Amino acid sequence: SDPRSDLAIWHIDLLAEAQYTLPPADHAETARTVYVYAGDGLLLDGAPVASPTGVVVRSDVAVSLESPTGTVSCLVLQGRPIGEPVAQYGPFVMNTQAEIERAFRDYQRTQFGGWPWPSDDPVHGTEPERFAIHPDGRLERPGSVPSAAA
């Protein structure tokens, strides 16, 4: 939410023969990457980029994206570096190796507060099926009439 971060995230779908120009970022030191992830690829300032590919581009100039032959999808991520040291191990990203080790110990000890299900599987069976609890307490399931939560 800090405008100084020059943060932007674009999901761009271009139809065949479509063109879009990314505007320059607010700061020359802003990092910007274009990830082409679906379709036949695109022309990035006239240079071909196949799918799937990520390309780091200059952020201080406008960049042309063109889909010459078919639909293409890309993700553009940009932001100013925060200038902090980075330490990484697996999914953990911190500032120091000591913080990584502490995070890993915390995860091993508590799984960050505990995992309430009996299995580590990424699914939880068929019960309960998909549902939503609305802010007013209504419980909604596919094909049902919303009702008050118990």
Side-chain angles (χ1 to χ4, degrees):
S1 65
D2 185 343
R4 295 173 296 174
S5 68
D6 209 5
L7 179 68
I9 301 171
W10 289 284
H11 171 229
I12 301 171
D13 290 324
L14 296 173
L15 299 176
E17 300 179 14
Q19 191 249 346
Y20 179 75
T21 301
L22 294 173
D26 291 338
H27 304 279
E29 66 274 12
T30 297
R32 181 182 276 177
T33 305
V34 177
Y35 295 95
V36 181
Y37 65 89
D40 295 330
L42 58 74
L43 297 177
L44 187 70
D45 276 346
V49 177
S51 175
T53 303
V55 179
V56 176
V57 298
R58 286 183 57 185
S59 65
D60 60 339
V61 296
V63 176
S64 170
L65 307 175
E66 185 178 349
S67 177
T69 59
T71 301
V72 64
S73 296
C74 60
L75 181 66
V76 180
L77 303 174
Q78 83 170 34
R80 287 179 72 188
I82 59 173
E84 295 286 329
V86 175
Q88 179 208 347
Y89 183 81
F92 302 106
V93 179
M94 306 295 263
N95 293 112
T96 67
Q97 188 62 33
E99 290 174 331
I100 291 287
E101 291 168 7
R102 186 172 61 241
F104 198 73
R105 282 192 309 273
D106 289 346
Y107 174 73
Q108 287 177 325
R109 189 178 74 252
T110 70
Q111 293 185 347
F112 295 129
W115 184 253
W117 295 278
S119 168
D120 287 340
D121 295 341
V123 296
H124 310 293
T126 58
E127 293 296 327
E129 295 178 357
R130 291 178 51 205
F131 68 94
I133 298 176
H134 296 267
D136 64 3
R138 289 177 297 124
L139 177 63
E140 182 179 356
R141 297 180 191 273
S144 71
V145 176
S147 62

